Amino acid sequence: MGFPVELKYTSEHEWIRIEGDIAYIGVTDYAQEALGDVVFLEIPEVGSEIEKGETFGVVESVKAVSDLYAPLSGEVTKANEVLVDTPELINEHPYDDGWMIAIKMSDTEELKELMNADDYETYIEENG
Amino acid sequence: MSELRKTPLHDIHQSLGAKMVPFGGWHMPVQYSGILDEHRAVREAAGLFDVSHMGEIDIKGPHALDFVQMVTTNDASRLHAGQAQYSLFCNHNGGIVDDTLAYKISDGHYMLCVNASNTEKDFSWIKRQCTPDFDAEVTNVSSHYAQLAIQGPKAVGILNSLADKDLSSIPHFCFDYANLDGIDAMVSRTGYTGEDGFEIYLSPEKAAQLWQSIMKAGEKDGIKPIGLGARDTLRLEMKYSLYGNDISGETSPLEANLGWVVKFHKSDFIGKEALLGQKETGIKKKLVCLIVDGREIPRPGYEVYLDGRNIGLVTSGTKSPSLGRGVAMAYVENGLDKEGQSLQIMIRNKGVEARVINPPFYKKST
């Protein structure tokens, strides 16, 4: 199981990749492993606003339904529609092809609350 | 909470890296390689299940048949030694206490295989019905048996390669005793997947050895270990009821479309009067198969609507691995159960279009 050092993480098992004022969001390797086979994804449309801590989508495995929580606030600039037809990419490539949405961050102060890879790995060991 | 019980195969599951979960008081494997992969293996090749958590109850004595007739709804008098039948226990209100496979071992000896989580409840309920009028003995023999199930198009061939006799000649819903790679077992041509195969009852001490023998014998055919996750999707595709989801003390066999295992022609049985009454006055709800038109996945507890009116409830639901579509079993108002009936399942506050279809969901292409 890997946790790329260039990414940020949340306690809800999402990863965030920062590119300027854009943040790409997906779920971690740990999350996809815990979910099992992902068979359904619901993500917001481009142009919609998401707010830190609120649910922005739903991911479903064969057995379970899980909410996705926004790690940051902002406006959705891209949605990975490929995943709607091939949600298994979330299992196969959680950190690249499995990205879910990109947002234009509205408050970069929120970045301070995210974990780095080491902190996240420790968090999983203690809470996983 | 009391400690979870372990089957004799617990160490094997852990060494295979299975994801373990609590189920009916047991610590059971929910998946090994993944639910979709395991589901496919059973539909296309073969899968091996540890179902040692299931309970077994012996009914023995001169009045064993009369007693089984009293506590179950199907007609056990039609069983010859070596045959099994699907049956139900009902309470006096006609609600379902549990579903069961009733085996006739010999004259005066029946064995009832029951759901893990219900074993204690069933045993004490059955024992309570065994009044002094009945010369029969009720014994919980669950600890005497481990149970494996091998299911899939390759299952019969694989098990046959280990057996001292031809198992392929055992008819469906019949059983025989055989020696499997040196291990004595009761081999039943039954299952919970819609595929051909066997359920194998044997001594718990030999279970791990037989598991390894079967996995080895089935290796070239692609046999895989199967957890409870795929067991659930496989049974749902066949519309086999799951106790606690689709049937319970609050539902009757007539509502659950299990009227075919209620034999009113036989003499008295517990629940008969109530069920006859339901038959005369009519039932209010019926268990149907629903298939979703779009991508959404129905889940237990989701409400069912018709034109804005709440008319039912989903009791089992998933994305069918074989169909690639959302499927559900749901109780709906009687009369809305005809094939093609369009209904809406409320999924995250959105009415998702679904249609009633005739069971099973999965029809094998021949």
Side-chain angles (χ1 to χ4, degrees):
Chain A
M1 198 173 295
F3 306 106
V5 292
E6 67 275 19
L7 304 181
K8 299 289 185 188
Y9 300 88
T10 71
S11 56
E12 300 289 346
H13 307 290
E14 279 131 0
W15 58 257
I16 299 95
R17 189 170 72 231
I18 308 298
E19 292 184 5
D21 59 354
I22 301 293
Y24 285 81
I25 298 165
V27 298
T28 67
D29 199 13
Y30 175 85
Q32 69 79 18
E33 178 84 30
L35 284 165
D37 295 317
V38 174
V39 290
F40 178 84
L41 180 72
E42 197 169 273
I43 42 177
E45 287 172 12
V46 170
S48 51
E49 295 281 340
I50 66 170
E51 197 171 329
K52 181 180 179 313
E54 305 282 307
T55 63
F56 72 91
V58 170
V59 60
E60 297 194 36
S61 65
V62 180
K63 275 201 89 68
V65 182
S66 305
D67 285 327
L68 294 163
Y69 292 93
L72 301 164
S73 307
E75 183 189 331
V76 178
T77 56
K78 286 193 226 173
N80 190 0
E81 296 294 339
V82 174
L83 297 180
V84 173
D85 283 319
T86 51
E88 62 270 22
L89 290 174
I90 294 165
N91 295 115
E92 291 163 7
H93 307 289
Y95 298 118
D96 35 69
D97 292 346
W99 70 273
M100 293 173 174
I101 55 170
I103 62 167
K104 188 173 190 299
M105 289 182 279
S106 58
D107 180 5
T108 50
E109 283 293 301
E110 291 172 352
L111 288 171
K112 290 178 182 163
E113 292 163 48
L114 301 176
M115 288 182 260
N116 65 29
D118 280 349
D119 295 340
Y120 178 61
E121 210 167 338
T122 309
Y123 174 81
I124 290 175
E125 278 163 20
E126 288 170 358
N127 301 277
Chain B
M1 191 180 152
S2 59
E3 201 170 312
L4 293 172
R5 300 174 69 186
K6 293 172 183 170
T7 78
L9 298 163
H10 189 265
D11 288 353
I12 289 182
H13 302 319
Q14 294 207 308
S15 72
L16 288 169
K19 195 181 283 182
M20 306 293 287
V21 295
F23 180 84
W26 294 77
H27 199 219
M28 296 298 290
V30 67
Q31 65 170 64
Y32 304 83
S33 57
I35 294 174
L36 296 177
D37 186 57
E38 293 166 34
H39 185 105
R40 199 178 309 118
V42 175
R43 289 275 180 253
E44 292 171 8
L48 185 61
F49 304 70
D50 176 15
V51 283
S52 301
H53 59 313
M54 302 290 282
E56 292 86 12
I57 294 168
D58 256 351
I59 315 288
K60 276 181 172 172
H63 292 170
L65 173 60
D66 294 340
F67 182 64
V68 171
Q69 290 288 62
M70 177 59 79
V71 293
T72 65
T73 60
N74 206 338
D75 185 0
S77 73
R78 289 166 55 177
L79 292 174
H80 299 290
Q83 284 187 318
Q85 71 183 184
Y86 182 67
S87 193
L88 300 167
F89 312 120
C90 280
N91 59 35
H92 286 283
N93 302 322
I96 300 171
V97 175
D98 202 0
D99 60 349
T100 182
L101 261 185
Y103 290 92
K104 180 169 180 178
I105 309 293
S106 61
D107 286 337
H109 184 188
Y110 294 79
M111 186 178 91
L112 308 172
C113 178
V114 300
N115 281 302
S117 53
N118 285 341
T119 305
E120 288 303 324
K121 177 191 84 173
D122 290 353
F123 175 61
S124 54
W125 182 85
I126 293 168
K127 215 164 157 77
R128 267 203 313 280
Q129 316 307 322
C130 196
T131 54
D133 308 344
F134 292 104
D135 188 0
E137 197 183 340
V138 181
T139 319
N140 183 353
V141 291
S142 303
S143 62
H144 302 190
Y145 294 102
Q147 195 189 144
L148 306 184
I150 178 170
Q151 302 272 295
K154 304 278 189 187
V156 175
I158 293 168
L159 202 63
N160 232 356
S161 74
L162 296 171
D164 64 341
K165 59 169 76 166
D166 179 24
L167 304 175
S168 67
S169 61
I170 301 176
H172 289 275
F173 278 90
C174 289
F175 66 94
D176 199 355
Y177 298 91
N179 189 279
L180 307 170
D181 202 23
I183 299 162
D184 291 323
M186 177 178 141
V187 182
S188 168
R189 192 84 174 260
T190 49
Y192 193 49
T193 62
E195 299 296 330
D196 199 357
F198 300 101
E199 293 174 305
I200 307 160
Y201 297 82
L202 76 163
S203 157
E205 290 84 56
K206 299 288 184 186
Q209 192 191 330
L210 184 61
W211 173 282
Q212 305 289 20
S213 294
I214 294 173
M215 288 305 293
K216 193 156 168 257
E219 199 178 349
K220 63 179 188 309
D221 283 323
I223 196 171
K224 291 193 172 170
I226 314 295
L228 294 175
R231 185 169 160 83
D232 191 49
T233 53
L234 288 159
R235 70 93 195 166
L236 182 44
E237 285 186 347
M238 298 307 297
K239 206 212 175 195
Y240 294 154
S241 294
L242 173 63
Y243 194 89
N245 277 42
D246 314 304
I247 53 176
S248 74
E250 306 301 314
T251 56
S252 96
L254 305 182
E255 294 168 336
N257 267 324
L258 294 173
W260 61 280
V261 288
V262 180
K263 299 293 156 64
F264 289 111
H265 65 76
K266 69 174 188 173
S267 53
D268 199 26
F269 61 91
I270 297 167
K272 183 177 184 179
E273 208 175 311
L275 292 170
L276 273 175
Q278 284 182 19
K279 214 178 163 189
E280 278 165 26
T281 57
I283 49 173
K284 292 194 173 65
K285 60 179 180 179
K286 208 148 190 193
L287 190 62
V288 296
C289 289
L290 294 175
I291 185 158
V292 173
D293 290 337
R295 297 176 192 278
E296 293 85 356
I297 305 169
R299 304 286 182 177
Y302 288 3
E303 291 174 339
V304 185
Y305 281 73
L306 175 64
D307 303 330
R309 193 165 60 89
N310 182 349
I311 52 89
L313 192 69
V314 172
T315 52
S316 287
T318 192
K319 181 174 177 182
S320 157
S322 302
L323 278 62
R325 301 269 293 276
V327 299
M329 288 161 73
Y331 279 101
V332 300
E333 271 183 21
N334 196 9
L336 299 176
D337 56 328
K338 303 293 175 292
E339 184 168 33
Q341 172 74 49
S342 164
L343 297 169
Q344 295 84 46
I345 301 174
M346 201 53 75
I347 302 180
R348 293 182 286 279
N349 301 319
K350 200 175 98 187
V352 170
E353 285 299 325
R355 278 173 301 114
V356 174
I357 65 164
N358 286 335
F361 291 106
Y362 174 73
K363 295 166 181 88
K364 214 162 177 60
S365 52
T366 45

PDB file of all heavy atoms in Angstrom, chain B residues 73-95:
ATOM      1  N   THR B  73     -43.521 -26.443   7.041  1.00  0.00           N
ATOM      2  CA  THR B  73     -44.676 -26.175   6.166  1.00  0.00           C
ATOM      3  C   THR B  73     -44.710 -27.079   4.939  1.00  0.00           C
ATOM      4  O   THR B  73     -45.772 -27.310   4.372  1.00  0.00           O
ATOM      5  CB  THR B  73     -44.658 -24.717   5.678  1.00  0.00           C
ATOM      6  OG1 THR B  73     -43.448 -24.504   4.950  1.00  0.00           O
ATOM      7  CG2 THR B  73     -44.747 -23.745   6.844  1.00  0.00           C
ATOM      8  N   ASN B  74     -43.556 -27.572   4.503  1.00  0.00           N
ATOM      9  CA  ASN B  74     -43.524 -28.449   3.332  1.00  0.00           C
ATOM     10  C   ASN B  74     -43.956 -29.860   3.754  1.00  0.00           C
ATOM     11  O   ASN B  74     -44.097 -30.137   4.946  1.00  0.00           O
ATOM     12  CB  ASN B  74     -42.119 -28.460   2.719  1.00  0.00           C
ATOM     13  CG  ASN B  74     -42.144 -28.785   1.227  1.00  0.00           C
ATOM     14  OD1 ASN B  74     -43.090 -29.390   0.714  1.00  0.00           O
ATOM     15  ND2 ASN B  74     -41.099 -28.383   0.517  1.00  0.00           N
ATOM     16  N   ASP B  75     -44.158 -30.740   2.770  1.00  0.00           N
ATOM     17  CA  ASP B  75     -44.647 -32.087   3.082  1.00  0.00           C
ATOM     18  C   ASP B  75     -43.479 -33.066   3.166  1.00  0.00           C
ATOM     19  O   ASP B  75     -43.020 -33.596   2.149  1.00  0.00           O
ATOM     20  CB  ASP B  75     -45.646 -32.531   2.008  1.00  0.00           C
ATOM     21  CG  ASP B  75     -46.279 -33.877   2.344  1.00  0.00           C
ATOM     22  OD1 ASP B  75     -45.937 -34.444   3.408  1.00  0.00           O
ATOM     23  OD2 ASP B  75     -47.101 -34.350   1.546  1.00  0.00           O
ATOM     24  N   ALA B  76     -43.007 -33.304   4.390  1.00  0.00           N
ATOM     25  CA  ALA B  76     -41.848 -34.180   4.598  1.00  0.00           C
ATOM     26  C   ALA B  76     -42.179 -35.642   4.348  1.00  0.00           C
ATOM     27  O   ALA B  76     -41.265 -36.467   4.207  1.00  0.00           O
ATOM     28  CB  ALA B  76     -41.297 -33.996   6.016  1.00  0.00           C
ATOM     29  N   SER B  77     -43.483 -35.973   4.268  1.00  0.00           N
ATOM     30  CA  SER B  77     -43.839 -37.385   4.023  1.00  0.00           C
ATOM     31  C   SER B  77     -43.453 -37.791   2.595  1.00  0.00           C
ATOM     32  O   SER B  77     -43.405 -38.971   2.278  1.00  0.00           O
ATOM     33  CB  SER B  77     -45.331 -37.605   4.247  1.00  0.00           C
ATOM     34  OG  SER B  77     -46.087 -37.036   3.193  1.00  0.00           O
ATOM     35  N   ARG B  78     -43.198 -36.793   1.748  1.00  0.00           N
ATOM     36  CA  ARG B  78     -42.810 -37.116   0.372  1.00  0.00           C
ATOM     37  C   ARG B  78     -41.333 -37.455   0.248  1.00  0.00           C
ATOM     38  O   ARG B  78     -40.874 -37.863  -0.820  1.00  0.00           O
ATOM     39  CB  ARG B  78     -43.162 -35.952  -0.553  1.00  0.00           C
ATOM     40  CG  ARG B  78     -44.677 -35.834  -0.756  1.00  0.00           C
ATOM     41  CD  ARG B  78     -45.078 -34.520  -1.372  1.00  0.00           C
ATOM     42  NE  ARG B  78     -44.373 -34.269  -2.636  1.00  0.00           N
ATOM     43  CZ  ARG B  78     -44.595 -33.192  -3.398  1.00  0.00           C
ATOM     44  NH1 ARG B  78     -45.478 -32.297  -3.021  1.00  0.00           N
ATOM     45  NH2 ARG B  78     -43.930 -33.018  -4.510  1.00  0.00           N
ATOM     46  N   LEU B  79     -40.574 -37.262   1.312  1.00  0.00           N
ATOM     47  CA  LEU B  79     -39.132 -37.536   1.261  1.00  0.00           C
ATOM     48  C   LEU B  79     -38.844 -39.018   1.448  1.00  0.00           C
ATOM     49  O   LEU B  79     -39.389 -39.660   2.350  1.00  0.00           O
ATOM     50  CB  LEU B  79     -38.411 -36.760   2.369  1.00  0.00           C
ATOM     51  CG  LEU B  79     -38.350 -35.240   2.262  1.00  0.00           C
ATOM     52  CD1 LEU B  79     -37.716 -34.666   3.530  1.00  0.00           C
ATOM     53  CD2 LEU B  79     -37.556 -34.823   1.037  1.00  0.00           C
ATOM     54  N   HIS B  80     -37.985 -39.541   0.584  1.00  0.00           N
ATOM     55  CA  HIS B  80     -37.391 -40.855   0.830  1.00  0.00           C
ATOM     56  C   HIS B  80     -36.051 -40.634   1.512  1.00  0.00           C
ATOM     57  O   HIS B  80     -35.494 -39.531   1.442  1.00  0.00           O
ATOM     58  CB  HIS B  80     -37.159 -41.596  -0.493  1.00  0.00           C
ATOM     59  CG  HIS B  80     -38.419 -41.835  -1.258  1.00  0.00           C
ATOM     60  ND1 HIS B  80     -39.379 -42.731  -0.849  1.00  0.00           N
ATOM     61  CD2 HIS B  80     -38.879 -41.277  -2.400  1.00  0.00           C
ATOM     62  CE1 HIS B  80     -40.375 -42.727  -1.701  1.00  0.00           C
ATOM     63  NE2 HIS B  80     -40.111 -41.843  -2.659  1.00  0.00           N
ATOM     64  N   ALA B  81     -35.531 -41.670   2.174  1.00  0.00           N
ATOM     65  CA  ALA B  81     -34.193 -41.554   2.757  1.00  0.00           C
ATOM     66  C   ALA B  81     -33.220 -41.172   1.644  1.00  0.00           C
ATOM     67  O   ALA B  81     -33.247 -41.764   0.560  1.00  0.00           O
ATOM     68  CB  ALA B  81     -33.791 -42.866   3.410  1.00  0.00           C
ATOM     69  N   GLY B  82     -32.403 -40.148   1.894  1.00  0.00           N
ATOM     70  CA  GLY B  82     -31.469 -39.696   0.866  1.00  0.00           C
ATOM     71  C   GLY B  82     -31.972 -38.491   0.086  1.00  0.00           C
ATOM     72  O   GLY B  82     -31.319 -38.046  -0.845  1.00  0.00           O
ATOM     73  N   GLN B  83     -33.135 -37.974   0.499  1.00  0.00           N
ATOM     74  CA  GLN B  83     -33.671 -36.787  -0.175  1.00  0.00           C
ATOM     75  C   GLN B  83     -33.726 -35.600   0.777  1.00  0.00           C
ATOM     76  O   GLN B  83     -33.789 -35.764   1.994  1.00  0.00           O
ATOM     77  CB  GLN B  83     -35.095 -37.055  -0.688  1.00  0.00           C
ATOM     78  CG  GLN B  83     -35.127 -37.909  -1.947  1.00  0.00           C
ATOM     79  CD  GLN B  83     -36.536 -37.994  -2.517  1.00  0.00           C
ATOM     80  OE1 GLN B  83     -37.499 -38.157  -1.761  1.00  0.00           O
ATOM     81  NE2 GLN B  83     -36.645 -37.902  -3.824  1.00  0.00           N
ATOM     82  N   ALA B  84     -33.745 -34.408   0.179  1.00  0.00           N
ATOM     83  CA  ALA B  84     -33.840 -33.172   0.957  1.00  0.00           C
ATOM     84  C   ALA B  84     -34.923 -32.286   0.361  1.00  0.00           C
ATOM     85  O   ALA B  84     -35.257 -32.424  -0.821  1.00  0.00           O
ATOM     86  CB  ALA B  84     -32.503 -32.439   0.944  1.00  0.00           C
ATOM     87  N   GLN B  85     -35.487 -31.413   1.174  1.00  0.00           N
ATOM     88  CA  GLN B  85     -36.433 -30.434   0.635  1.00  0.00           C
ATOM     89  C   GLN B  85     -36.264 -29.093   1.341  1.00  0.00           C
ATOM     90  O   GLN B  85     -35.896 -29.023   2.512  1.00  0.00           O
ATOM     91  CB  GLN B  85     -37.884 -30.921   0.750  1.00  0.00           C
ATOM     92  CG  GLN B  85     -38.424 -30.954   2.152  1.00  0.00           C
ATOM     93  CD  GLN B  85     -39.841 -31.515   2.266  1.00  0.00           C
ATOM     94  OE1 GLN B  85     -40.388 -31.523   3.351  1.00  0.00           O
ATOM     95  NE2 GLN B  85     -40.433 -32.011   1.194  1.00  0.00           N
ATOM     96  N   TYR B  86     -36.519 -28.029   0.571  1.00  0.00           N
ATOM     97  CA  TYR B  86     -36.549 -26.686   1.143  1.00  0.00           C
ATOM     98  C   TYR B  86     -37.849 -26.551   1.916  1.00  0.00           C
ATOM     99  O   TYR B  86     -38.897 -27.006   1.447  1.00  0.00           O
ATOM    100  CB  TYR B  86     -36.463 -25.646   0.031  1.00  0.00           C
ATOM    101  CG  TYR B  86     -36.439 -24.213   0.520  1.00  0.00           C
ATOM    102  CD1 TYR B  86     -35.361 -23.723   1.244  1.00  0.00           C
ATOM    103  CD2 TYR B  86     -37.501 -23.360   0.250  1.00  0.00           C
ATOM    104  CE1 TYR B  86     -35.337 -22.410   1.689  1.00  0.00           C
ATOM    105  CE2 TYR B  86     -37.484 -22.039   0.696  1.00  0.00           C
ATOM    106  CZ  TYR B  86     -36.398 -21.570   1.417  1.00  0.00           C
ATOM    107  OH  TYR B  86     -36.379 -20.276   1.856  1.00  0.00           O
ATOM    108  N   SER B  87     -37.785 -25.982   3.099  1.00  0.00           N
ATOM    109  CA  SER B  87     -38.991 -25.871   3.905  1.00  0.00           C
ATOM    110  C   SER B  87     -38.890 -24.655   4.827  1.00  0.00           C
ATOM    111  O   SER B  87     -37.880 -23.929   4.822  1.00  0.00           O
ATOM    112  CB  SER B  87     -39.175 -27.160   4.721  1.00  0.00           C
ATOM    113  OG  SER B  87     -40.468 -27.222   5.277  1.00  0.00           O
ATOM    114  N   LEU B  88     -39.945 -24.428   5.600  1.00  0.00           N
ATOM    115  CA  LEU B  88     -39.998 -23.279   6.503  1.00  0.00           C
ATOM    116  C   LEU B  88     -40.536 -23.703   7.858  1.00  0.00           C
ATOM    117  O   LEU B  88     -41.329 -24.642   7.947  1.00  0.00           O
ATOM    118  CB  LEU B  88     -40.958 -22.214   5.948  1.00  0.00           C
ATOM    119  CG  LEU B  88     -40.647 -21.631   4.581  1.00  0.00           C
ATOM    120  CD1 LEU B  88     -41.858 -20.867   4.071  1.00  0.00           C
ATOM    121  CD2 LEU B  88     -39.427 -20.720   4.642  1.00  0.00           C
ATOM    122  N   PHE B  89     -40.100 -22.979   8.890  1.00  0.00           N
ATOM    123  CA  PHE B  89     -40.800 -23.025  10.171  1.00  0.00           C
ATOM    124  C   PHE B  89     -41.626 -21.754  10.246  1.00  0.00           C
ATOM    125  O   PHE B  89     -41.112 -20.665   9.977  1.00  0.00           O
ATOM    126  CB  PHE B  89     -39.834 -22.994  11.364  1.00  0.00           C
ATOM    127  CG  PHE B  89     -38.690 -23.959  11.279  1.00  0.00           C
ATOM    128  CD1 PHE B  89     -37.377 -23.507  11.281  1.00  0.00           C
ATOM    129  CD2 PHE B  89     -38.915 -25.327  11.232  1.00  0.00           C
ATOM    130  CE1 PHE B  89     -36.308 -24.382  11.227  1.00  0.00           C
ATOM    131  CE2 PHE B  89     -37.846 -26.217  11.181  1.00  0.00           C
ATOM    132  CZ  PHE B  89     -36.545 -25.742  11.174  1.00  0.00           C
ATOM    133  N   CYS B  90     -42.893 -21.885  10.611  1.00  0.00           N
ATOM    134  CA  CYS B  90     -43.719 -20.696  10.793  1.00  0.00           C
ATOM    135  C   CYS B  90     -44.228 -20.629  12.226  1.00  0.00           C
ATOM    136  O   CYS B  90     -44.406 -21.658  12.886  1.00  0.00           O
ATOM    137  CB  CYS B  90     -44.913 -20.719   9.840  1.00  0.00           C
ATOM    138  SG  CYS B  90     -44.482 -20.209   8.179  1.00  0.00           S
ATOM    139  N   ASN B  91     -44.493 -19.414  12.693  1.00  0.00           N
ATOM    140  CA  ASN B  91     -45.126 -19.275  14.008  1.00  0.00           C
ATOM    141  C   ASN B  91     -46.656 -19.345  13.839  1.00  0.00           C
ATOM    142  O   ASN B  91     -47.153 -19.479  12.714  1.00  0.00           O
ATOM    143  CB  ASN B  91     -44.666 -17.992  14.705  1.00  0.00           C
ATOM    144  CG  ASN B  91     -44.990 -16.741  13.894  1.00  0.00           C
ATOM    145  OD1 ASN B  91     -46.025 -16.677  13.222  1.00  0.00           O
ATOM    146  ND2 ASN B  91     -44.093 -15.759  13.947  1.00  0.00           N
ATOM    147  N   HIS B  92     -47.388 -19.234  14.941  1.00  0.00           N
ATOM    148  CA  HIS B  92     -48.845 -19.395  14.866  1.00  0.00           C
ATOM    149  C   HIS B  92     -49.518 -18.282  14.070  1.00  0.00           C
ATOM    150  O   HIS B  92     -50.636 -18.442  13.594  1.00  0.00           O
ATOM    151  CB  HIS B  92     -49.438 -19.506  16.280  1.00  0.00           C
ATOM    152  CG  HIS B  92     -49.162 -20.835  16.919  1.00  0.00           C
ATOM    153  ND1 HIS B  92     -49.854 -21.975  16.574  1.00  0.00           N
ATOM    154  CD2 HIS B  92     -48.237 -21.223  17.830  1.00  0.00           C
ATOM    155  CE1 HIS B  92     -49.385 -23.005  17.265  1.00  0.00           C
ATOM    156  NE2 HIS B  92     -48.387 -22.572  18.031  1.00  0.00           N
ATOM    157  N   ASN B  93     -48.821 -17.152  13.910  1.00  0.00           N
ATOM    158  CA  ASN B  93     -49.374 -16.066  13.090  1.00  0.00           C
ATOM    159  C   ASN B  93     -49.044 -16.225  11.618  1.00  0.00           C
ATOM    160  O   ASN B  93     -49.396 -15.376  10.801  1.00  0.00           O
ATOM    161  CB  ASN B  93     -48.823 -14.715  13.562  1.00  0.00           C
ATOM    162  CG  ASN B  93     -49.129 -14.461  15.016  1.00  0.00           C
ATOM    163  OD1 ASN B  93     -50.214 -14.814  15.481  1.00  0.00           O
ATOM    164  ND2 ASN B  93     -48.177 -13.872  15.734  1.00  0.00           N
ATOM    165  N   GLY B  94     -48.318 -17.276  11.283  1.00  0.00           N
ATOM    166  CA  GLY B  94     -47.923 -17.481   9.892  1.00  0.00           C
ATOM    167  C   GLY B  94     -46.638 -16.760   9.520  1.00  0.00           C
ATOM    168  O   GLY B  94     -46.232 -16.774   8.362  1.00  0.00           O
ATOM    169  N   GLY B  95     -46.002 -16.104  10.504  1.00  0.00           N
ATOM    170  CA  GLY B  95     -44.712 -15.461  10.251  1.00  0.00           C
ATOM    171  C   GLY B  95     -43.611 -16.507  10.175  1.00  0.00           C
ATOM    172  O   GLY B  95     -43.739 -17.598  10.754  1.00  0.00           O
TER     173      GLY B  95
END
